[in-house]
Amino acid sequence: MAVRVRYAPSPTGDPHVGNIRSALFNWLYARHTGGTFIVRIEDTDQARLVPGSLDAILDALRWLGLDWDEGPGADGPHGPYVQSERLDIYKEHAARLVAEGKAYECYCTPARLDAVRKARQQAHQPTGYDRRCREPEGAEQARKENPDSNPVVRFKMPTEGVITVDDFVRGEVTFDVSLLDDFVLLKSDGYPTYHLANVIDDHLMEISDVMRAEEWLPSAPRHKLLYEAFGYEMPRLIHLPLILGPDRSKLSKRHGAASVLEFRDMGYLPDALVNFLALLGWSLDETSELFSKDDLVEHFTPERILANPAVFNIEKLDWFNGLYIRGMDDAALADALAPWLDDPEHGLPASARPVDHDYLSTIVPLERERLKRLAEAPEMLSFFFEERLDYDPSLLVPKGLDTEATRAMLEAALATADGADDWSVAALETAYRALAEQLGARTGQLFGAIRVAVTGRTAAPPLFDTLSVLGKERCVSRLRAALAAL
RNA sequence: GCCCCUAUAGUCUAGCGGCCUAGGACGCCACCCUUUCAAGGUGGAGAUCGCGGGUUCGAAUCCCGCUGGGGGCACCA
């Protein structure tokens, strides 16, 4: 049977990493099997819709390279792929269940429902609807109490017995049906609940495997009963372990960055994020952990999905990102860096923009292995571009030397620079090593002082590469400025 | 309160009855390389495999209980 899987986000907020990990696993499974990846928008909660969030979700998918075969902007045979455009379908199906005696209208008010819930909890009973409207008398009474309200449609659950659902990751999970209540299928505003819309659409869209987060496992028995009520075959269920924050609760906004778009904006590479996310709840073997997207497509199988939740460890993401940055060639990294440097808000000062691409290409080899995130570039590379350096002059004085000795050293360094006609890395190194010897200074002291003078910082790429890239003119004037500031 | 899932180092994980004196990775520490910072290399600390019972000649691996952690219990998804 052809694999047809779906990612079914609801446009109620940012595309957070837990959600997108579900999208990734579905996508990987579809691509691994040559199946179909569908994006379906579950916008059935009118109250919680967040404008712009649909675009944000689709942007996140595009950014990560998770393309869909059917869904928004990719029409297929089972559309529309937006649930708010399928309302008639859900209404018909709900009406069918009512006509068959498998569902019923309920007129109870939220206030009453709330009271029932509280009373049950206090009585140490499972919370849930008391089924008043399931009997004609109860419904009649409820209708009299609320003559103006529209009813909801509730599903008639069996009142006893157990139901076993088969989760591909966990095996058989058994629930006591008597503990489950008659859940709502159709809301009073005419929109379906998740349970109804999901079951109908998964069937109509011929979904073969439902891969979703573990938080859905408790509603699986309801879904199974719904499939049976409609006479539909149930897709295979694959529940993914949750992604947790450092405090071990479900990862959310309050843990800091949770939206995939935030990670993009912090300068993480999509492939690094994908690699990292793939390893949260899935692994291949003892040692493999470096996976390109193609590798993942080749190796991903649901058999290797774990059952236990995973804590989101941003330090490992940082490591992955550094690894992927180091894996980029000069041209690719320069291209990736340019927009960050040219960004009016977080990039280089206006006077340094736009960056010269050729110049940037010469800088890239020096900074590649120092960058963890692209967003660090403006701060890290600024001294290559700014005219005036702003730093604490006391940094110029090396350990073990005083101001006067430093001055003498920098004057000699300036003279050497001034007199140099070969500005290559090798020539510079030869000249300055000779100078250190001539001055009786340790190389660390001399080079350190020059480094601060020329970069404004104590930590920078190798000195002679830096000088060479910076060019003679800039170095000479910075050495002069340093002497003036001392 | 009721239900469900889960349990190997701080974190991600390998392990599916003997190959485990428990392997890999991030992080941490040390050393090497070295003009600084990184990167890289080498080494190290860190897990009584949550605890207690079984089953078995033999258990991290199977079973049960407990405990911890998480999730669910809406006219939200």
Side-chain angles (χ1 to χ4, degrees):
Chain A
M1 186 171 143
V3 168
R4 288 177 57 84
V5 289
R6 100 276 125 122
Y7 169 54
S10 80
T12 53
D14 288 330
H16 74 85
V17 294
N19 243 302
I20 293 297
R21 197 272 317 255
S22 296
L24 172 64
F25 279 30
N26 276 286
W27 182 86
L28 287 173
Y29 187 39
R31 294 295 172 256
H32 175 76
T33 55
T36 306
F37 179 56
I38 297 151
V39 172
R40 182 175 72 221
I41 306 305
E42 310 218 324
D43 57 344
T44 57
D45 185 346
Q46 292 302 290
R48 291 202 315 151
L49 289 183
V50 174
S53 61
L54 174 56
D55 286 339
I57 290 164
L58 298 181
D59 277 353
L61 294 179
R62 287 190 203 101
W63 179 64
L64 291 173
L66 309 184
D67 57 321
W68 53 97
D69 307 304
E70 296 174 28
D75 242 349
H78 304 285
Y81 295 92
V82 178
Q83 291 187 329
S84 61
E85 295 169 19
R86 303 169 61 83
L87 263 25
D88 289 345
I89 298 174
Y90 311 124
K91 278 180 190 160
E92 277 168 32
H93 280 74
R96 196 178 116 198
L97 288 185
V98 172
E100 291 172 359
K102 294 172 179 169
Y104 60 93
E105 294 188 331
C106 169
Y107 291 84
C108 292
T109 62
R112 175 168 190 281
L113 264 16
D114 212 43
V116 169
R117 211 163 13 239
K118 284 201 176 103
R120 294 207 155 204
Q121 188 172 122
Q122 268 172 10
H124 294 198
Q125 293 289 306
T127 58
Y129 181 53
D130 64 0
R131 302 188 162 119
R132 177 165 78 146
C133 294
R134 184 157 165 164
E135 303 307 325
E137 313 81 58
E140 200 46 50
Q141 193 189 337
R143 199 198 308 240
K144 271 184 206 145
E145 286 168 18
N146 317 292
D148 300 328
S149 66
N150 290 321
V152 300
V153 174
R154 284 183 186 274
F155 186 67
K156 262 191 202 170
M157 291 287 280
T159 51
E160 53 181 30
V162 296
I163 182 151
T164 299
V165 296
D166 194 36
D167 173 52
F168 185 68
V169 177
R170 279 154 264 268
E172 293 189 337
V173 183
T174 300
F175 298 83
D176 182 345
V177 188
S178 70
L179 269 19
L180 270 23
D181 72 347
D182 292 350
F183 60 99
V184 173
L185 297 172
L186 211 57
K187 304 183 246 185
S188 56
D189 64 1
Y191 279 75
T193 59
Y194 169 87
H195 307 296
L196 211 222
N198 210 255
V199 164
I200 293 172
D201 285 348
D202 282 347
H203 174 256
L204 260 23
M205 295 178 185
E206 297 172 26
I207 299 301
S208 62
D209 301 78
V210 170
M211 229 186 269
R212 65 202 342 175
E214 190 193 338
E215 59 198 348
W216 291 108
L217 189 54
S219 27
R222 303 180 207 275
H223 300 161
K224 183 171 184 183
L225 259 9
L226 252 186
Y227 278 106
E228 285 173 3
F230 282 123
Y232 297 157
E233 195 187 331
M234 188 157 81
R236 185 164 71 161
L237 258 29
I238 305 176
H239 287 97
L240 272 20
L242 256 21
I243 298 180
L244 273 25
D247 65 352
R248 303 201 65 91
S249 68
K250 197 164 73 164
L251 191 68
S252 69
K253 242 187 189 141
R254 70 190 165 75
H255 293 108
S259 164
V260 165
L261 265 16
E262 286 177 71
F263 286 96
R264 178 192 64 189
D265 296 343
M266 286 188 284
Y268 289 96
L269 264 19
D271 284 1
L273 224 208
V274 163
N275 196 154
F276 172 72
L277 248 26
L279 263 11
L280 255 30
W282 178 88
S283 72
L284 180 62
D285 56 30
E286 293 201 359
T287 52
S288 309
E289 58 176 356
L290 219 64
F291 294 97
S292 69
K293 220 179 289 149
D294 286 345
D295 293 335
L296 289 169
V297 166
E298 185 185 341
H299 296 294
F300 182 87
T301 59
E303 282 76 10
R304 302 284 314 173
I305 293 174
L306 284 318
N308 47 308
V311 172
F312 188 92
N313 179 201
I314 197 157
E315 284 177 334
K316 186 137 188 180
L317 207 210
D318 284 341
W319 175 76
F320 268 119
N321 209 54
L323 210 57
Y324 275 82
I325 287 176
R326 275 171 254 140
M328 296 170 85
D329 64 35
D330 292 354
L333 187 51
D335 284 344
L337 252 21
W340 294 84
L341 297 167
D342 284 334
D343 184 76
E345 226 180 308
H346 305 290
L348 295 168
S351 58
R353 285 185 276 118
V355 298
D356 180 284
H357 206 275
D358 290 338
Y359 181 46
L360 178 57
S361 302
T362 63
I363 295 166
V364 160
L366 306 191
E367 295 283 11
R368 175 190 285 112
E369 61 209 28
R370 277 156 253 271
L371 279 166
K372 271 198 162 30
R373 295 182 289 113
L374 300 181
E376 296 170 341
E379 156 65 22
M380 200 168 271
L381 312 193
S382 64
F383 69 87
F384 280 109
F385 298 93
E386 285 171 327
E387 276 318 306
R388 286 182 46 82
L389 262 25
D390 188 26
Y391 59 92
D392 178 357
S394 70
L395 292 178
L396 289 163
V397 183
K399 254 210 203 113
L401 291 186
D402 59 17
T403 310
E404 280 320 302
T406 304
R407 183 183 302 282
M409 211 163 65
L410 284 174
E411 270 163 4
L414 173 60
T416 301
D418 228 352
D421 37 44
D422 185 349
W423 202 254
S424 68
V425 176
L428 285 165
E429 175 148 14
T430 305
Y432 278 107
R433 284 199 185 278
L435 178 63
E437 200 164 333
Q438 181 194 319
L439 294 173
R442 287 188 313 172
T443 50
Q445 295 177 322
L446 206 220
F447 298 173
I450 299 173
R451 176 178 300 108
V452 172
V454 156
T455 69
R457 54 191 81 194
T458 52
L463 183 60
F464 305 111
D465 299 85
T466 306
L467 295 181
S468 183
V469 165
L470 244 16
K472 177 172 176 177
E473 194 188 328
R474 217 166 344 209
C475 292
V476 166
S477 80
R478 286 181 184 185
L479 283 164
R480 287 217 172 87
L483 280 161
L486 246 191

